[in-house]
Amino acid sequence: MHELTIALRIREALETEFADDPEMFVTSVTIQVGALSGIVPEALEFAWSHAVFDCDFLADSNLVVDKVAATGFCQKCRENRTITNIQSFRCPICRTPIGDITGGDELDILTVDVRNSSDSP
Amino acid sequence: MCRDCGCGLLEAADHDHQHDHDHQHDHDHQATRTIEVRRRILAHNDDLASSLRRRFSDNQVLAVNIVSSPGSGKTELLARTMTEQANEWSMAAVTGDLATENDATRLASTGSLAKQILTGTMCHLETNMVADAIAEWDLAALDFLFIENVGNMVCPSDFDLGEDFRVMLVSTTEGEDKPLKYPTLTISSNVAVINKIDIADAVECDVDLLEHNLREVRPDIEIVRVSARTGEGIEQWLAILRSRFEAKTGTN
């Protein structure tokens, strides 16, 4: 539901990042979204086009979402484990409940692909 | 097309040609290139939340972010808390809603400070809204700041508001599987308050199963059963607040 907010925050971050380069056009933005972030990648991709339509250097860009699984440290196995079903935060091997979350809340901009406005697409 | 080398670029593009010798050059148009950005999307909110958290610490204020679906009883729980503790603690609340000042008016009637944050169409609170709402308050005079989030179990989970801990409120009328349906909120919460315990039987809520589901998603979550309306269980809720306040401020 707040994917539009997230899309607008990405836009703001990139506007700040590239403020001093008017020649820059972004073709693609790659972000990392953790399974615990509460973000629906499809909804965010949809929101993206609405968030940037009036922003010249981003208007033609697409958003690429790199999904990251939730992970937690199993105290019994002494191993970091991937939690595929976040409705049951247990070690997938020994079924011990895991309280120590080690990953999955990522919400980061990773890279952007750019070209200069003087280049042909 | 470039008339000099026929490479397909516009003339204005910056590339080399027109040499007086005839060997082959690489010529790189840099049609697209990848730039590493590596930046948290919510960096602005998170930085603001960190500075707010420092202010809360400097002023020995315990900040509590309360999240639930609409109608679970956030305001009722806070009104009960503020009424019962009026003589013991100095408390304030900011309360987020899309519209109306009703919640702030109701909480202010307990004698504590209360301020409404109107979010318009926004489905969650962000730190700048909280910072603006408390701007005129003397934090040093407070023990507790309660942040009543917008009624929504999805969107608030991503937004750090500088709180010391997050409370997920779930009422017996909502079904035992609520924690499973909204795992991201459950995982990000430290305490779960099960409200409307007085009508659990009437609405056929299996409260043990509800607790089991909470722990399935977040094994270390602290759980308390209350009825904000009748006062049942409120002592345990106040005990949680008291012990966390004492742990933070080093008092007892």
Side-chain angles (χ1 to χ4, degrees):
Chain A
M1 283 157 86
H2 59 304
E3 279 78 2
L4 186 58
T5 301
I6 300 296
L8 290 168
R9 295 296 175 271
I10 299 171
R11 169 181 169 166
E12 287 162 13
L14 294 177
E15 281 175 333
T16 309
E17 191 87 21
F18 298 113
D20 49 1
D21 196 345
E23 291 291 290
M24 191 84 84
F25 276 81
V26 174
T27 57
S28 168
V29 179
T30 302
I31 62 166
Q32 197 173 36
V33 172
L36 303 179
S37 69
I39 295 295
V40 180
E42 293 74 18
L44 185 55
E45 285 159 6
F46 176 73
W48 182 246
S49 57
H50 294 275
V52 299
F53 79 95
D54 61 345
C55 175
D56 281 347
F57 83 108
L58 289 172
D60 291 327
S61 64
N62 57 357
L63 191 70
V64 179
V65 179
D66 182 6
K67 297 179 198 174
V68 182
T71 55
F73 187 78
C74 176
Q75 294 294 345
K76 193 171 171 198
C77 303
R78 311 297 300 167
E79 288 279 349
N80 205 38
R81 300 292 192 198
T82 299
I83 314 292
T84 45
N85 173 17
I86 62 168
Q87 293 174 326
S88 178
F89 233 83
R90 289 174 181 271
C91 174
I93 309 299
C94 73
R95 306 301 300 154
T96 302
I98 291 180
D100 183 6
I101 300 163
T102 54
D105 62 350
E106 295 80 3
L107 207 44
D108 305 310
I109 304 170
L110 293 181
T111 58
V112 293
D113 289 350
V114 300
R115 64 177 169 80
N116 286 335
S117 57
S118 51
D119 294 342
S120 26
Chain B
M1 191 168 87
C2 169
R3 68 182 167 206
D4 291 312
C5 66
C7 65
L9 282 185
L10 298 173
E11 280 181 72
D14 182 21
H15 62 281
D16 296 330
H17 37 67
Q18 285 191 321
H19 290 285
D20 290 326
H21 49 262
D22 57 11
H23 65 247
Q24 198 71 33
H25 281 277
D26 280 334
H27 77 238
D28 183 6
H29 301 134
Q30 299 183 324
T32 62
R33 62 186 194 281
T34 300
I35 298 176
E36 187 149 328
V37 178
R38 288 265 166 208
R39 185 186 170 120
R40 282 173 299 135
I41 293 169
L42 297 177
H44 180 67
N45 184 77
D46 292 348
D47 293 348
L48 214 52
S50 298
S51 75
L52 208 52
R53 185 170 284 114
R54 269 195 302 279
R55 280 180 61 202
F56 293 149
S57 285
D58 291 345
N59 289 288
Q60 304 242 305
V61 179
L62 190 79
V64 186
N65 181 5
I66 303 179
V67 185
S68 82
S69 48
S72 298
K74 292 183 294 300
T75 314
E76 183 83 17
L77 179 70
L78 287 181
R80 167 72 67 172
T81 305
M82 290 174 147
T83 303
E84 300 232 342
Q85 295 305 107
N87 295 324
E88 195 182 332
W89 295 335
S90 172
M91 294 165 284
V94 292
T95 176
D97 279 297
L98 273 62
T100 86
E101 302 264 343
N102 294 355
D103 287 359
T105 305
R106 185 168 159 204
L107 293 176
S109 73
T110 67
S112 290
L113 286 171
K115 183 129 183 183
Q116 186 74 44
I117 301 174
L118 293 177
T119 63
T121 55
M122 284 251 296
C123 49
H124 59 273
L125 292 180
E126 295 190 25
T127 311
N128 63 326
M129 301 173 181
V130 176
D132 288 350
I134 65 171
E136 288 173 10
W137 289 347
D138 175 15
L139 291 181
L142 288 180
D143 298 321
F144 289 87
L145 174 70
F146 299 107
I147 304 166
E148 181 185 329
N149 221 307
V150 180
N152 179 340
M153 295 188 93
V154 184
C155 311
S157 56
D158 276 339
F159 295 89
D160 181 2
L161 301 179
E163 73 263 26
D164 289 281
F165 68 104
R166 189 175 290 183
V167 175
M168 170 188 183
L169 185 68
V170 55
S171 70
T172 56
T173 55
E174 296 170 47
E176 300 89 349
D177 57 354
K178 210 70 187 264
L180 305 178
K181 285 179 175 168
Y182 298 91
T184 55
L185 176 63
T186 312
I187 289 167
S188 73
S189 298
N190 311 89
V191 174
V193 176
I194 300 174
N195 192 25
K196 307 188 189 178
I197 201 74
D198 54 318
I199 57 167
D201 289 343
V203 298
E204 296 183 0
C205 175
D206 181 344
V207 183
D208 291 338
L209 178 59
L210 178 53
E211 283 203 7
H212 169 85
N213 287 338
L214 283 163
R215 291 206 172 88
E216 192 62 30
V217 181
R218 171 119 196 200
D220 60 348
I221 200 162
E222 192 170 2
I223 302 174
V224 58
R225 302 179 182 194
V226 307
S227 167
R229 177 148 296 177
T230 67
E232 184 181 347
I234 288 297
E235 266 313 312
Q236 287 95 298
W237 159 244
L238 297 178
I240 289 173
L241 292 177
R242 191 175 290 113
S243 74
R244 287 179 181 259
F245 177 74
E246 289 171 358
K248 178 172 187 176
T249 60
T251 57
N252 56 49

